Amino acid sequence: MRTTHARVLSVPLLGLALLSATTQATDATPAARKLAQDAVIVDTHIDSPTELMKQWKDLGETQSGEFDYPKARAGGLDVAFMSVYTSPGQDDDGSAWNVANRMIDAVDSLALRHPDKFAILRSPRDVDRLRANDRVLLPMGMENGAPIGDDLAKLDFFFQRGVRYITLAHSANNRIADSSYAAEKRWKGLSPFGREVVAEMNRLGMMIDVSHLSDDAARQAIDLSRAPVIASHSALRHFTPSFERNLSDELAKAIAAKGGVIQIPFGNAFVDPASAAQTQAYFVAYAEFERERAAGRTTKTVAEFDADWDKAHPPLPVGIDAVLDQIDYGVKLVGIDHIGIGSDFDGVGGALPQGLKTVADFPNLVAGLQARKYSDADIRKILGGNLLRAWTAIEAAASR
């Protein structure tokens, strides 16, 4: 998720009775665990590189976070897109380029340190070959186009380094596009440079990611692209009507019509209406706090503001059904071939539904889908088949 200053939002507590019932209802069955291990599971958004910038951890071994090799294998995860996230602040101070390259170095080092456990994935054609012997594959997605600055040639540079999608903007307008979070939109969609970025990404075979974009920017990117586009971690606005960060029905249909995929996240703030409302309230309060700071009317620091907010707004328990409801609605809206998963693990500060707390929990999601009468073939599509199909089509469009 990542907000403007790289924190995650929490939400108020409810009673625990529903939580307990939901947890019991989604315990993975042997059939669910078997399918999770056999299917190709692709998660398009895991924020572990940001955590590695805070403190190095060997993710080849069991760690305290939401992604590591033992947890991935327990959950059946095969393809884990590592998110190369840079903030609007790093865009402003010119450090985004260095931060992005350090994150890529960290992902590379995992594969070099543990060639028996990890491999860098650059093409969907290589999935079956590289995942042999229980490897977890690590393609990369860039969350925020800030590291390319205003230099189109840097797209090819990052493509050569293994970046296979770019989320054009994040929580603030940038040189490429307007953000869904920005109160004032700078470009009314894509910038002129952003239009060139879309064309160059098409040429390279790099996936265009419209998560985090304003409605106008997402619509323009979809219209301009010669290839399918993805939403790497976007839920559906049907459940959160005033939350622009989630996709409207119109935009979801446009992504599907282009052959793309909507990757449903797990974070409470995306999938749960009350949590989404709390997220929006936070942004309003934070904007007012920034105005107070600029006017010299408060000496409170950002850390103090966040601590006070979290104390007043403790987390709200959310059940796995919130994610399953999103998938159900998406399938009915755009069809089984256009829905996937982009968890946002390690990116939402643990604000995740019960039963989906780490990458080890994918069997719980499978069990929930089986309980809702999805066929195993359709579950395979949601778990990864749809994303791999779209990625293959994007590569083919580039070769043409």
Side-chain angles (χ1 to χ4, degrees):
M1 180 180 176
R2 306 292 170 195
T3 69
T4 48
H5 52 287
R7 78 179 290 275
V8 182
L9 309 176
S10 55
V11 282
L13 284 166
L14 291 180
L16 295 177
L18 175 61
L19 177 61
S20 176
T22 303
T23 302
Q24 293 171 3
T26 57
D27 287 343
T29 62
R33 294 188 183 280
K34 182 176 184 297
L35 182 56
Q37 290 297 325
D38 187 59
V40 179
I41 300 182
V42 180
D43 185 336
T44 46
H45 199 86
I46 297 177
D47 272 297
S48 299
T50 297
E51 296 305 301
L52 292 179
M53 292 300 98
K54 299 174 185 176
Q55 180 179 357
W56 171 253
K57 298 176 181 179
D58 183 355
L59 297 182
E61 310 298 335
T62 300
Q63 301 292 344
S64 59
E66 292 156 14
F67 170 83
D68 56 47
Y69 179 81
K71 292 187 186 77
R73 293 319 307 140
L77 177 61
D78 299 283
V79 180
F81 274 81
M82 296 285 100
S83 177
V84 178
Y85 166 76
T86 56
S87 70
Q90 290 162 343
D91 191 6
D92 292 342
D93 67 19
S95 64
W97 163 266
N98 285 329
V99 172
N101 278 289
R102 287 172 58 210
M103 286 188 178
I104 295 169
D105 287 346
V107 176
D108 283 344
S109 75
L110 285 174
L112 291 169
R113 180 185 292 263
H114 297 290
D116 57 329
K117 295 179 178 178
F118 296 116
I120 303 298
L121 179 66
R122 298 173 181 273
S123 171
R125 298 188 305 271
D126 298 328
V127 169
D128 287 341
R129 175 177 62 84
L130 291 177
R131 78 182 183 112
N133 302 316
D134 277 344
R135 288 191 193 91
V136 175
L137 309 186
L138 304 177
M140 284 173 272
M142 180 175 283
E143 189 177 23
N144 192 2
I148 72 170
D150 54 10
D151 183 357
L152 212 59
K154 288 181 179 175
L155 285 170
D156 182 66
F157 172 86
F158 283 116
F159 186 80
Q160 298 304 322
R161 292 219 65 189
V163 172
R164 287 302 179 265
Y165 76 70
I166 294 180
T167 315
L168 300 183
H170 190 253
S171 53
N173 306 328
N174 63 11
R175 297 172 182 85
I176 299 169
D178 290 331
S179 166
S180 61
Y181 285 129
E184 300 293 330
K185 312 300 188 190
R186 179 180 180 185
W187 305 108
K188 310 305 179 188
L190 297 177
S191 70
F193 178 62
R195 292 171 179 269
E196 294 182 53
V197 167
V198 167
E200 179 66 1
M201 289 176 70
N202 280 167
R203 187 190 72 80
L204 291 168
M206 186 182 283
M207 290 180 276
I208 295 160
D209 176 21
V210 299
S211 291
H212 281 286
L213 298 191
S214 71
D215 284 359
D216 286 340
R219 188 177 302 109
Q220 290 167 23
I222 296 164
D223 289 346
L224 283 170
S225 178
R226 295 185 293 101
V229 304
I230 68 166
S232 69
H233 58 308
S234 287
L236 298 161
R237 201 179 304 166
H238 168 81
F239 297 90
T240 57
S242 62
F243 193 23
E244 190 177 6
R245 170 63 181 85
N246 283 340
L247 291 170
S248 68
D249 284 7
E250 174 197 2
L251 286 173
K253 289 177 179 178
I255 291 169
K258 203 87 176 192
V261 188
I262 298 122
Q263 302 287 101
I264 301 297
F266 300 164
N268 295 349
F270 301 122
V271 301
D272 174 60
S275 302
Q278 196 66 48
T279 300
Q280 292 170 280
Y282 169 84
F283 277 111
V284 172
Y286 183 77
E288 177 60 27
F289 163 67
E290 288 283 80
R291 287 191 288 270
E292 292 288 308
R293 281 213 308 169
R297 292 192 291 268
T298 181
T299 59
K300 185 181 290 188
T301 66
V302 170
E304 290 168 340
F305 173 85
D306 284 345
D308 289 347
W309 179 272
D310 289 341
K311 184 177 180 180
H313 305 86
L316 166 69
V318 175
I320 194 172
D321 284 346
V323 175
L324 294 167
D325 289 347
Q326 291 272 347
I327 292 172
D328 274 351
Y329 184 81
V331 168
K332 290 172 184 174
L333 181 69
V334 301
I336 191 67
D337 295 322
H338 302 285
I339 298 296
I341 49 177
S343 66
D344 217 347
F345 281 133
D346 279 334
V348 292
L352 292 154
Q354 289 300 313
L356 285 176
K357 293 297 189 181
T358 77
V359 295
D361 291 334
F362 283 115
N364 294 340
L365 183 69
V366 174
L369 292 169
Q370 289 176 330
R372 294 189 180 207
K373 307 305 182 185
Y374 285 84
S375 69
D376 284 0
D378 283 348
I379 293 172
R380 288 175 185 271
K381 289 183 177 183
I382 293 166
L383 292 178
N386 290 336
L387 189 282
L388 294 177
R389 183 261 311 155
W391 188 5
T392 299
I394 291 163
E395 280 195 351
S399 68
R400 289 196 297 272

